[in-house]
Amino acid sequence: MLRALGFALFAALCGLFVATRIELRTPITEFLPVGKQRDAIELARELANAPQARTVAFTLQNGDAGQFAEALRKSGLFAWVRGGVSEEEERAFYELAFPARLGLLQIAGEGPLSDAELAARVASLRERLSGPWGMLERRFAAEDPLGSFSALLAAQLKTRAQLTMVDRQLVTSDGQWQVVFAATKESAFDTAAQQRVEQVILAAVPKGATLEWSGLSRYALLGEKSVRGDIERISSLSVIGIFVLYLFVFRSLREPLLVLLPIGFGCLVATAACQLVFGYVHGLALAFGSSIIGVAEDFSTHYFAHRLVAPESESNDALMDRLWPGMWLGALTTVAGISTLFASGFRGLEQMAMFGALGVVAALICTRYALPPLSRRGVAHKDRPALQAGARFLDRMAARPVLALWFVGPSILFMLAGAPKLRFEDSLKALRTTSPALDAENARVQQRLGLPAKGQVVVVLGDDDEQALARSEQVLQRLDGTLSLRSVSTLLPSLATQRARRARVTEDATFWPRLEAALTQHGFVPAAFEPFAKALHEPAVELTPAELAKSPLASSFLAPFRASLAGQVAYLTSVESDHDLGPELAGIPDAHYIDQEALYSAAYRDFRTRTLWLLAVGLVLVLGVLLARYRSPRTAGLGMLPALLGAGAAMGVEALRGVPANLLHVIGVLLVLSMGVDYGIYALESQQHGADDGVTTLGSVLLAALTTVLSFGLLGLSDNPALAAVGSTVGFGLVFTVLASPVVLAFTRVERR
């Protein structure tokens, strides 16, 4: 009883810790591979947490976008909100860029400007003065006849993609939607913060207006709500199902209540450990791990089933001692299978592995030391007709092995029928809760904004801004003309480039006389451009990232492009291409082309292949353990038979259902093997002593399988594809596993005799 009280006290402490400290998150980035080297995968992971990932784009119809933007600002939840260009931003742009205009001059080639280039520039000036922006051009022409500031204004407009400006408000090209951009202060994957953000956004929508918006946070919230709902639904239904099933079998409230004790204890310990180690609990790990710990009730089921038929003279502790070798051996194989996920290279899978492994161990220990003192003594019922019929059936199968086909035949048929239709699909979509409505809205917003839809980006790294900007310029030169290319280098050249551009006009003694001649030729009075001639001899003024960061232009000039990645300064160039741009970047130091879908698909494909090898290694290890325990290849093979048949048949069923297999199905197979071996071990252990004729073990295996299939079957109904894949694979797999268990019992009866 003292042990039971000790478990209760420890459980209370874990419960208090979880209740006061638990933080549930669902960041999909935790299911991206961990790279030890600074490669595209690791950069993609960091990009998902970069400031750019916190950006939200709003399109508003039939409402006041200014009022909407102001409400967002007042909430205090956004780092910045931008719906147009204010007078303050226009003034800051002029004050920073115009004095640096000579360094921002964009002219192809090197060396002094040719006469032809000067003539073209002067001709362009005449066109601009007579164009729709003529009044604005007249303000700058005397100091900027080459149009460097005008070109910069045009480049800034280009970064707006398809957007235009009406009364200082950004609107879509068709004039139907007003546009507002904002960035949340907290991470897009901080669902608690993003729930508050969503409430503020919905409350800020003007009455009668239509809002459609796009942002990574919406998918994070969708995943969190879906997983949280799955956890509540699955855990509740599982507990109710297990309780009702136990109540029917044992006809007593004691066993149904006690069987929940190891499950609850394992969940508490695993949740507390994940919160302590990782700083939060991933929603998928909690849902997945809770179902994994459902296998922990196999231990108590095995114990209670034997307690029901064991003689009253056999104490609870003695019975537990008799069953303990099979329990710990089964737990060992389960934990060994789950623990292979630690080598996955995916933080999310590592947390799932830790949750499942610790939960199973905690549940096993709770079963071993807490259940015997709390259990009632059983009364042997070996004369029950069901037990006698079961014993006769096993004897008959042992005498006529052909009967085993009725139990292994379905598994073999599903494997053979499904194998030709089995296909793999490696994609991040296998982990993400889908919403056709949200996907459609996101696509509409992106189309209105004219932004790339494929999530392709080129990242350049540098030790400082100057180095990174120089490399960004090289990327722009290589990829100029690529669809939807947006680069900081069109607005902010490196200091070296600014100095080189300025030198092309200030260090050329013939420049001003030749420009005067070109101006005269096109009907201008050169004396009117004396301010420009004077500027050629003034100290150089340069535009720097530091100045932009301190100005009102930070959100429009720097925020979309600059980040801190891999401990370095990074500049991003968004692109859209139908082919791999990596080869075109060859030779540019620390330039990485990132196509997220392609990268993640390749990573999951590699891990799936690696997991299949881990499965093979794990099976060899399990076989070695069984050989060491039973000293018989035939017996060891029989112990593994149910799990192998269950895993193969489960994949066959998924293939026949037309479900493409992915990484999570492979993990499901891993779980079927690691848990299914338990049933074979229980069957083998029942034949190691004369106190069990195997029928009781068969009943306990059937009951344990029903409860586990119940848990995972409900998981298979999840809206989250990852949970559904694991749930359906394990659910089907364990059905076929338990179907093959009588074969193990029947054939080992022959060996025992």
Side-chain angles (χ1 to χ4, degrees), residues 547-697:
E547 290 175 319
L548 285 173
K550 294 184 294 185
S551 77
L553 303 173
S555 63
S556 56
F557 260 67
L558 282 184
F561 306 107
R562 190 182 187 278
S564 178
L565 302 176
Q568 293 184 285
V569 176
Y571 280 96
L572 318 179
T573 300
S574 62
V575 296
E576 188 168 357
S577 175
D578 294 328
H579 65 280
D580 183 5
L581 298 177
E584 298 179 41
L585 303 176
I588 302 178
D590 269 334
H592 305 269
Y593 170 63
I594 297 177
D595 183 338
Q596 293 184 355
E597 282 296 325
L599 275 175
Y600 301 155
S601 295
Y604 288 125
R605 183 169 55 252
D606 291 343
F607 175 65
R608 172 171 55 79
T609 303
R610 183 154 36 110
T611 302
L612 292 173
W613 281 106
L614 289 174
L615 282 176
V617 173
L619 288 174
V620 171
L621 292 176
V622 171
L623 180 61
V625 172
L626 296 182
L627 284 172
R629 169 67 174 166
Y630 302 114
R631 310 286 178 167
S632 167
R634 181 177 182 274
T635 302
L638 282 173
M640 296 182 66
L641 179 66
L644 292 172
L645 291 175
M651 293 305 292
V653 170
E654 293 294 273
L656 292 174
R657 291 173 60 208
V659 178
N662 55 50
L663 171 65
L664 278 306
H665 287 94
V666 175
I667 292 174
V669 168
L670 174 67
L671 296 176
V672 172
L673 292 171
S674 58
M675 292 188 295
V677 170
D678 294 0
Y679 301 150
I681 289 174
Y682 291 161
L684 295 178
E685 285 295 316
S686 71
Q687 306 303 303
Q688 296 301 303
H689 44 74
D692 185 4
D693 58 8
V695 180
T696 304
T697 295

Side-chain angles (χ1 to χ4, degrees), residues 711-733:
S711 298
F712 278 96
L714 292 171
L715 197 65
L717 300 177
S718 171
D719 292 331
N720 184 279
L723 297 180
V726 174
S728 61
T729 304
V730 176
F732 285 122

